[in-house]
Amino acid sequence: MLSIQQVTKKIEDKSLLDNVSFDVPKGSSIGLIGPNGAGKSTLMKLISAYEKPTGGSITFHGQDVQHWNVKKLAQRIAVLTQEGLAAYPIKVFDAILLGRYPHLGFFQRESKKDYELVEEVLAFTSLTDLKDQFLDTLSGGERQRVAIAKAMVQQPELLLLDEPTTFLDIGHQLNILRLVKEWQRKDNLTVIMVMHDLNLASQFCEELILMSEGKVVRSGSNEEIIDSDLLKNVYHTTPEIIRHPKSNVPQILLGHF
Ligand SMILES: Nc1ncnc2c1ncn2[C@@H]1O[C@H](COP(=O)(O)OP(=O)(O)OP(=O)(O)O)[C@@H](O)[C@H]1O
């Protein structure tokens, strides 16, 4: 569905991405991990066609994302950043309804179907009770849930999440990821997510892509990537690897003081 081939990105003499290649099958969940400055956000901007690569190509359904009509691409790819939605003084319902925008024609008003979809998504994201509350009065966790709901009414095939849980407490972090997982199962959604929390990434993602200094160091399952020596080389710290007592997936413990 999405293919990233030998992508490079340079700004002046600085190399931000260097020969990055991988394929993203439909319905998969890919975790982009790696230290600060590895190039993860840069890659996300190229996938959403927000920026152009210097070399290589990113194709979505066989066509270079740079050649896609902007509105058509927005119907199929939704982007959610760590800041989520700006705290404008508009009602939750109206903020979510804005997600329908890529599907409306010029000067076309939302239809009854659009309103029904928003109601449906409000229920799915447990936001119905908050639908008349103003966005700028919500907590960070609630606002991030609204951002997910807005992306959901967009009905994309591909969801790009750039550190969606950064500002959330542990309960809300799990809440958001569970919501995305449920949505993914319901609609066979494809998810690419930048994550600093390796334990959550290991649990959530089928495939992890470990990046460093603009390059893919290794990609594979959590069993292949959550490896003490590999992570030590990239993060310059030695984590202990343990098993999650319920799911048995590899998890890390950071060094002692
Ligand atoms: N417009 C720009 N001009 C020059 N350098 C840039 C620009 N945008 C990004 N960079 C550099 O590119 C590198 C990769 O940045 P990027 O934000 O993609 O990393 P990241 O892996 O997402 O990091 P983090 O985990 O800290 O968010 C960094 O060294 C950054 O300083």
Side-chain angles (χ1 to χ4, degrees), residues 11 14-17 34-43 45 51 82 162-163 194 196:
I11 293 185
K14 191 169 174 180
S15 173
L16 276 57
L17 291 173
N36 293 128
K40 306 178 296 296
S41 297
T42 303
L43 184 56
K45 285 180 202 152
E51 285 184 12
Q82 55 180 271
D162 196 345
E163 298 181 49
V194 172
H196 274 301

Side-chain angles (χ1 to χ4, degrees), residues 84-150:
L85 295 175
Y88 291 121
I90 60 169
K91 286 188 177 176
V92 165
F93 189 97
D94 297 327
I96 295 172
L97 189 61
L98 284 176
R100 291 303 295 158
Y101 174 75
H103 294 277
L104 302 177
F106 265 133
F107 299 115
Q108 188 189 348
R109 300 278 322 207
E110 299 86 1
S111 66
K112 190 166 162 254
K113 266 197 168 160
D114 295 316
Y115 283 84
E116 282 168 1
L117 179 62
V118 173
E119 290 289 354
E120 207 179 287
V121 166
L122 279 165
F124 188 81
T125 51
S126 313
L127 284 167
T128 306
D129 290 347
L130 296 177
K131 71 176 178 178
D132 291 323
Q133 198 166 323
F134 284 88
L135 210 53
D136 56 346
T137 65
L138 300 180
S139 75
E142 290 164 344
R143 206 157 64 230
Q144 200 59 318
R145 213 140 33 97
V146 175
I148 298 270
K150 181 177 170 230

Side-chain angles (χ1 to χ4, degrees), residues 49-209:
Y50 185 74
E51 285 184 12
K52 278 186 186 171
T54 313
S57 68
I58 299 182
T59 53
F60 182 57
H61 291 291
Q63 187 180 335
D64 197 305
V65 287
Q66 292 296 330
H67 300 149
W68 271 77
N69 169 288
V70 173
K71 200 160 176 178
K72 288 233 154 66
L73 196 65
Q75 289 171 2
R76 296 176 133 197
I77 302 182
V79 181
L80 214 148
T81 60
Q82 55 180 271
E83 293 84 18
L85 295 175
Y88 291 121
I90 60 169
K91 286 188 177 176
V92 165
F93 189 97
D94 297 327
I96 295 172
L97 189 61
L98 284 176
R100 291 303 295 158
Y101 174 75
H103 294 277
L104 302 177
F106 265 133
F107 299 115
Q108 188 189 348
R109 300 278 322 207
E110 299 86 1
S111 66
K112 190 166 162 254
K113 266 197 168 160
D114 295 316
Y115 283 84
E116 282 168 1
L117 179 62
V118 173
E119 290 289 354
E120 207 179 287
V121 166
L122 279 165
F124 188 81
T125 51
S126 313
L127 284 167
T128 306
D129 290 347
L130 296 177
K131 71 176 178 178
D132 291 323
Q133 198 166 323
F134 284 88
L135 210 53
D136 56 346
T137 65
L138 300 180
S139 75
E142 290 164 344
R143 206 157 64 230
Q144 200 59 318
R145 213 140 33 97
V146 175
I148 298 270
K150 181 177 170 230
M152 215 176 252
V153 300
Q154 200 175 327
Q155 296 185 310
E157 282 173 62
L158 171 63
L159 177 66
L160 302 178
L161 296 166
D162 196 345
E163 298 181 49
T165 56
T166 305
F167 296 123
L168 305 182
D169 67 55
I170 50 171
H172 284 95
Q173 286 182 19
L174 268 185
N175 238 321
I176 290 291
L177 293 182
R178 285 209 174 106
L179 197 57
V180 174
K181 200 49 132 191
E182 244 178 275
W183 175 14
Q184 186 169 28
R185 286 192 184 123
K186 184 166 76 69
D187 294 348
N188 198 27
L189 179 76
T190 309
V191 179
I192 305 178
M193 182 160 63
V194 172
M195 283 283 259
H196 274 301
D197 188 321
L198 301 184
N199 288 337
L200 287 178
S202 171
Q203 292 198 62
F204 183 90
C205 302
E206 284 155 11
E207 184 177 359
L208 297 174
I209 296 178

